């Protein structure tokens, strides 16, 4: 259910568009991350004490797998979240850490086990920052009915990168405004196709002011939806 603040912001939206809450829930992500920190704590003990050499790499691999699962449960809830700088940086660092762990273990470079541990433990702050950022992006989305046979008008989206001009349930276009990511994609509600724009931003309302250069009337013409449908 939309909050009172988001309902009040409807008057500021272009005609035909309405506010809609996104369905992301990061409780599972937080739970998985908390469990992943348990083996990470044992890794820190092994790093400090240098004990149990036979368990070092299996523990690192298990921790890395839990970190990866945490990341997937987080970014997978938001369309095109990988375009966000924090999320992309986290994914890059985790990929590098996973490569170091695999290399050290596969080539039996036991003298370099500390490098694998440092790489994995270094993912903790990056993973926290990325997932905390996604969880804090609580601004509602905006959407409108959109006929699947109609195409996006490129001149109505100045500054946007258009991935697909045709309606699709995956990413159609994206842009960065004031360091905030905006993503446009299709959504199916029952038998009705809709066009949706999500902002990776905090707050109770959609930051419509950052899209002041968009030609909303041209998008309405392309949408093909009648006033009755809206």
């Amino acid at each position: 259910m939309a909050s009172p603040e988001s309902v009040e912001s409807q008057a500021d939206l272009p005609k035909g568009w309405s506010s809609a809450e996104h369905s992301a829930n990061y409780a599972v992500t937080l739970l998985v991350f908390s469990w992943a920190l348990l083996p990470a704590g044992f890794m820190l003990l092994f790093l400090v004490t240098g004990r149990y050499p036979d368990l070092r790499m299996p523990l690192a691999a298990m921790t890395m797998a839990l970190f990866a699962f945490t990341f997937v449960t987080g970014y997978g809830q938001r369309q095109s979240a990988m375009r966000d700088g924090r999320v992309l940086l986290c994914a890059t660092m985790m990929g590098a850490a996973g490569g170091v762990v695999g290399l050290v273990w596969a080539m039996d470079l036991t003298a370099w086990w500390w490098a694998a541990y440092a790489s994995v433990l270094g993912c903790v702050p990056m993973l926290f920052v990325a997932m905390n950022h996604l969880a804090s992006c609580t601004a509602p989305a905006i959407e409108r009915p959109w006929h699947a046979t109609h195409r996006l008008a490129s001149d109505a989206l100045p500054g946007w990168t258009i991935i697909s001009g045709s309606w699709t349930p995956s990413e159609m276009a994206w842009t960065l405004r004031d360091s905030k990511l905006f993503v446009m994609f299709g959504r199916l509600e029952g038998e009705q196709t809709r066009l949706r724009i999500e902002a990776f931003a905090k707050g109770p309302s959609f930051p419509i002011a950052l899209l002041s250069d968009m030609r909303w009337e041209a998008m309405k013409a392309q949408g093909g939806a009648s006033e009755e449908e809206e």
Side-chain angles (χ1 to χ4, degrees):
M1 181 178 295
S3 63
E5 293 86 350
S6 62
V7 172
E8 292 173 1
S9 68
Q10 298 274 9
D12 300 327
L13 299 180
K15 188 175 181 181
W17 293 81
S18 59
S19 179
E21 299 292 333
H22 56 76
S23 59
N25 185 342
Y26 287 88
V28 174
T29 302
L30 178 62
L31 178 63
V32 176
F33 189 38
S34 63
W35 277 103
L37 291 178
L38 182 60
F42 282 108
M43 285 182 62
L44 188 59
L45 289 176
F46 284 11
L47 187 62
V48 172
T49 63
R51 302 182 64 184
Y52 305 107
D54 294 339
L55 299 178
R56 289 169 182 167
M57 296 314 299
L59 182 62
M62 180 180 68
T63 305
M64 197 67 236
L66 286 173
F67 284 170
F69 184 51
T70 301
F71 182 80
V72 170
T73 62
Y75 98 90
Q77 296 187 65
R78 298 298 300 270
Q79 182 74 242
S80 304
M82 197 66 77
R83 294 194 182 278
D84 185 271
R86 297 176 182 86
V87 179
L88 181 59
L89 183 59
C90 178
T92 302
M93 186 168 184
M94 289 183 61
V100 172
V101 172
L103 183 66
V104 171
W105 197 0
M107 300 190 68
D108 197 25
L109 301 175
T110 54
W112 290 86
W113 69 273
W114 58 268
Y117 268 46
S119 298
V120 174
L121 293 175
C123 292
V124 174
M126 293 301 304
L127 185 58
F128 174 79
V129 168
M131 296 301 101
N132 181 66
H133 169 63
L134 289 180
S136 66
C137 292
T138 56
I142 61 172
E143 61 181 25
R144 62 159 297 143
W146 188 266
H147 289 184
T149 57
H150 287 262
R151 296 182 60 83
L152 290 174
S154 58
D155 60 342
L157 300 168
W160 285 70
T161 300
I162 299 179
I163 307 300
S164 173
S166 302
W167 184 91
T168 173
S170 57
E171 182 185 49
M172 297 174 63
W174 66 277
T175 187
L176 282 173
R177 304 292 175 91
D178 193 24
S179 301
K180 294 180 175 62
L181 175 66
F182 290 81
V183 179
M184 180 184 297
F185 57 95
R187 191 174 74 87
L188 187 63
E189 185 177 297
E191 297 183 355
Q192 184 185 57
T193 52
R194 303 180 70 85
L195 191 65
R196 187 181 182 101
I197 301 178
E198 287 190 355
F200 286 68
K202 301 177 183 179
S205 61
F206 185 86
I208 193 68
L210 296 180
L211 301 179
S212 58
D213 59 341
M214 283 184 61
R215 295 181 56 224
W216 299 100
E217 70 283 354
M219 293 190 67
K220 176 181 176 181
Q222 289 290 317
S226 66
E227 296 296 325
E228 290 76 9
E229 289 175 324
E230 296 169 0

